[in-house]
Amino acid sequence: MTFLWPWLLLFLVIIPLSIAIYIWMLRRRRKFAVRYSSLALIREALPKRARWRQHLPFALFLLGLTSLVLAQARPVAEVEVPLSRTTIILALDISRSMCATDVDPNRLAVAQDAALAFVEAQADGTQIGLVAFAGFAELIVPPTNDKNVLLDAIANLTTSFGTAIGSATLKSIDAIAEINTAVPPSGLNLPEENPASEVIQTYQPDIIVLLTDGANSQGPRPLDAAQQAADRQVRVYTIGFGTDEIPEMVCSQAQLGSDAFGGFGGGFGGGFGGGGGGNFRRFLVIDEETLQGVADLTGGEYYRAESADQLLEVFEELPTQIVLQKEAIEISVFFVMAAVILAGTAVFLSLKWRRYP
């Protein structure tokens, strides 16, 4: 505990002065008391409680006075409270492999349902942003606490070709940087004396939740992008979604959309699951090693989900309050309350015991 006005603590000198005056008054009063032949007999006749209750009101009054002086010095206590400016960026993979039907009806539909449930479950003040990525990443909804905007954007995601995990991470960093001045945008060279290993206990309250069902196929390397997040003290929680099978891929017309990400909209049909060759198929298998590396590098965590229920559980486990900050809170009011209670009790007992000895 510290004090905003510590110089006022000098008034605590009143306490020993008051004790000295109290003792002097007691001695002075004895000089005018009737002298008995044997004070020992009087003391023996008095109830034992009469000895201590004579001084208890004064002691309580002194405690109340001490509490009042401490209150005037404006005491401040440091308490850990959850940061209220937490921002969560949902980075969702909308590549065409999300049309895989190994999860009914397909991966994208299930991911949308889980993301919708996650948004609805958050406290009203939580800011959430949405980044969608396929061949490149795009900030669909900047961080906002308007759930209706987020729900509408998630429900209307459409697919395209490619998987740019690194680009999604960088785009998410930039979205956080727009509202958190402590997070520099991606691409800036940070001072060398601020490596991630030295700030492991000082993470930003903002997090990135990245969901993908495949491997990075273009754009920056995911681990390079993750290093930028680590340098900025931003945690990345990665989710690998889907099974290891390469099933038939079927997207609804709504999920195909006009394909604003690449212009291939209506040309995608019932599936390319059986073709494309080995070089293509390797991008359809979750790169768990990389996703785990991204999470480890940034202080986040990697999750694997192979069903709708597992994905819902993952979203439920995601931390929504990442960092506790030490906040200075003035607690003068508690000392004032204590002073009033102690002084009031002292007056009450003094009047009561004086009336009824």
Side-chain angles (χ1 to χ4, degrees), residues 3 5-19 61-74:
F3 297 90
W5 296 345
W7 56 272
L8 285 177
L9 295 176
L10 293 174
F11 283 99
L12 287 174
V13 72
I14 296 174
I15 305 304
L17 288 177
S18 299
I19 295 175
F61 177 78
L62 284 185
L63 289 175
L65 185 60
T66 302
S67 184
L68 187 61
V69 172
L70 293 177
Q72 294 301 312
R74 299 181 63 185

Side-chain angles (χ1 to χ4, degrees), residues 4-234:
L4 296 180
W5 296 345
W7 56 272
L8 285 177
L9 295 176
L10 293 174
F11 283 99
L12 287 174
V13 72
I14 296 174
I15 305 304
L17 288 177
S18 299
I19 295 175
I21 294 173
Y22 180 71
I23 295 174
W24 175 78
M25 291 179 64
L26 289 178
R27 290 179 176 177
R28 184 172 179 271
R29 189 168 63 178
R30 288 174 183 170
K31 291 181 180 180
F32 297 96
V34 178
R35 296 181 178 275
Y36 292 92
S37 58
S38 178
L39 291 177
L41 294 176
I42 300 299
R43 291 195 184 100
E44 192 68 26
L46 287 174
K48 292 184 178 180
R49 64 175 184 176
R51 301 175 185 175
W52 59 262
R53 76 180 189 180
Q54 177 185 4
H55 307 294
L56 181 59
F58 179 70
L60 292 176
F61 177 78
L62 284 185
L63 289 175
L65 185 60
T66 302
S67 184
L68 187 61
V69 172
L70 293 177
Q72 294 301 312
R74 299 181 63 185
V76 172
E78 283 193 347
V79 296
E80 287 189 335
V81 297
L83 286 169
S84 58
R85 57 185 179 87
T86 298
T87 296
I88 303 171
I89 303 297
L90 290 178
L92 301 181
D93 187 346
I94 58 170
S95 61
R96 284 287 160 84
S97 59
M98 291 292 285
C99 294
T101 57
D102 55 340
V103 182
D104 187 56
N106 61 29
R107 295 175 182 175
L108 180 59
V110 173
Q112 286 173 301
D113 290 342
L116 291 172
F118 176 77
V119 170
E120 290 179 333
Q122 301 313 304
D124 291 339
T126 304
Q127 292 201 114
I128 302 176
L130 177 64
V131 169
F133 65 97
F136 64 94
E138 185 67 30
L139 179 63
I140 305 300
V141 179
T144 179
N145 54 18
D146 189 335
K147 291 186 178 181
N148 290 329
V149 172
L150 288 162
L151 296 176
D152 183 66
I154 293 171
N156 289 283
L157 290 174
T158 58
T159 60
S160 186
F161 293 102
T163 305
I165 296 174
S167 297
T169 302
L170 297 180
K171 184 66 68 173
S172 300
I173 293 173
D174 292 339
I176 292 173
E178 287 292 326
I179 60 172
N180 185 352
T181 56
V183 177
S186 65
L188 293 181
N189 293 324
L190 302 183
E192 293 183 1
E193 62 270 18
N194 187 35
S197 59
E198 295 181 2
V199 295
I200 193 67
Q201 299 299 325
T202 57
Y203 288 115
Q204 294 296 325
D206 316 302
I207 65 171
I208 299 169
V209 179
L210 188 147
L211 181 150
T212 183
D213 70 336
N216 193 70
S217 62
Q218 54 198 104
R221 293 195 325 126
L223 291 178
D224 291 341
Q227 183 62 58
Q228 293 205 40
D231 292 341
R232 288 157 177 78
Q233 308 162 31
V234 175

Side-chain angles (χ1 to χ4, degrees), residues 271-324:
F272 54 78
N279 188 54
F280 174 77
R281 291 170 64 88
R282 69 183 178 90
F283 294 115
L284 303 180
V285 178
I286 299 173
D287 186 355
E288 291 197 87
E289 182 179 354
T290 295
L291 295 180
Q292 183 71 64
V294 169
D296 292 343
L297 186 60
T298 61
E301 191 169 347
Y302 169 65
Y303 302 90
R304 177 67 189 271
E306 296 186 353
S307 67
D309 291 339
Q310 289 180 4
L311 186 60
L312 285 173
E313 290 177 2
V314 167
F315 272 99
E316 289 175 357
E317 292 177 10
L318 288 172
T320 56
Q321 296 287 355
I322 299 304
V323 177
L324 292 176

